[in-house]
Structures are given as structure tokens and as C-alpha cells.
Amino acid sequence: MAPPPPPAGQAAARPRHSPLIKIIAGVILALIVLVGLIVLITWLAVQPRKLKYSLEQGSISGYNLTKNDKLTANFHFVLRADNPNRRISLYYDKIDVTVSYEDQVVSVNNVHPFYQRRRNVTHLDLYLVAKDAALYGAVARDLRMEKASGDLELDVKIRAKIRLKIGVFKIHRKLKVLCGSVTVPFYSSKGFERVYCDVDIDD
């Protein structure tokens, strides 16, 4: 049996929102606005600038490519790391360096961790050794041809775990630096042209 209708002139009761819900919603909105303002003020105060990296020198020594396509060579590069920021310094906690030829890795090494101050330029020596690195397919043939020309085109990749220090805060990030198409002379008399690197920083 259907319930009796409400008395004439009396509207059906509407559910009321709890005052507590309104208070919680207001607090959450205020926190979001506050966090946004803090981030904006911090960014304006810090004014972060992009880190810059380049290879200033590069050389090859002890080169030998056997008949069965195994490469032995010593690679030396000088990496210029430029931190132009006035309020951000960096901790380089782990640095891995890779040298590749035609997308084939020929040597891997790491660099000692270091601290870079604000508005600082640091030069790092990168030493890498290829010891009987096997080359596949047409890679060995192309390498022999480049050796005859006097230059070798390589890719140098740097991956690092870093901490950005802003005041008392430290932010962990992953740094990727790619120095592509690095032309390295076999003979020092030919000289080395600076190579600017692409930089990517991830969470």
C-alpha cells in the first residue's frame, strides 16, 4: 500500500549537506591554493636555469682492430659541466658513461661522485677502455673505413643520479646527457671540435 502524500502546502524535505563536509572541502581547496602559491614563489625565487654539458676534448689511443673483428682502444674525453644556477647546487651520486659506435656499445665506465657548487663550471676527465670488444655485421668494415679517413664518429652517453640542493631541500633526479655524432681524430694534429650535448632530467 502506497504511503499517504504529504499534507497540502508542505514541500518534501530536502537532504541537507553536513556542515562538516563543507568545512573539509574548504580546507582542501585552501591547501591546494597554498601549495600552488608556495611552488610559484619558490620558482620565482630560485629561477632555475638549464644545465649545460659539452665535450671539449676527445682522443683515441692504443687502437687495434683484429682480423676477427675485436676492438681494443682507449678513449679519453673532457666533459664540461656548466651549472649556471645562482641558488641550486648539485650532488652527482652515480655517473655511468657509455661509448657507442653505430649503436653498438664498445666501452662502459663510471666517474667518481662529486659536488658541484652554484654558478660553477667543472671539467671531468672521462676515460673508457674497449678490450677485445666484438663487432658485428658491417660495423667492423665501417670502422676500418673510418680509420683510414683519420676520424671516428662516436656517441657518448652519460647517465647520472643527482640531487638538486635548493636551500635545505634536496630533490632526487635522473640525468641523461647525450653527446651524439662526436668526431674523434686518430691523430692529435687534426684537433677536436667542441660537441654540445642534449640534456634530459627525469623524476
Side-chain angles (χ1 to χ4, degrees), residues 23-39:
I23 293 173
I24 293 174
V27 170
I28 292 174
L29 180 60
L31 287 174
I32 292 173
V33 173
L34 180 61
V35 170
L37 285 173
I38 291 173
V39 171

Side-chain angles (χ1 to χ4, degrees), residues 79-131:
L79 177 70
R80 183 180 188 270
D82 181 8
N83 174 21
N85 291 282
R86 293 181 297 171
R87 294 180 175 86
I88 301 176
S89 56
L90 295 97
Y91 291 90
Y92 292 81
D93 295 324
K94 182 180 179 182
I95 311 170
D96 296 321
V97 185
T98 302
V99 172
S100 303
Y101 176 73
E102 293 188 355
D103 296 326
Q104 183 174 330
V105 175
V106 295
S107 183
V108 179
N109 201 356
N110 53 60
V111 179
H112 289 297
F114 72 99
Y115 171 73
Q116 186 173 28
R117 301 187 309 274
R118 296 168 291 178
R119 302 187 73 174
N120 171 263
V121 174
T122 299
H123 290 84
L124 297 175
D125 286 303
L126 309 179
Y127 293 99
L128 298 103
V129 178
K131 181 65 176 177

Side-chain angles (χ1 to χ4, degrees), residues 32-52:
I32 292 173
V33 173
L34 180 61
V35 170
L37 285 173
I38 291 173
V39 171
L40 177 60
I41 292 170
T42 302
W43 186 88
L44 290 174
V46 173
Q47 295 183 344
R49 300 177 63 185
K50 189 174 181 179
L51 303 175
K52 300 176 183 178

Side-chain angles (χ1 to χ4, degrees), residues 1-13:
M1 184 175 180
Q10 181 179 349

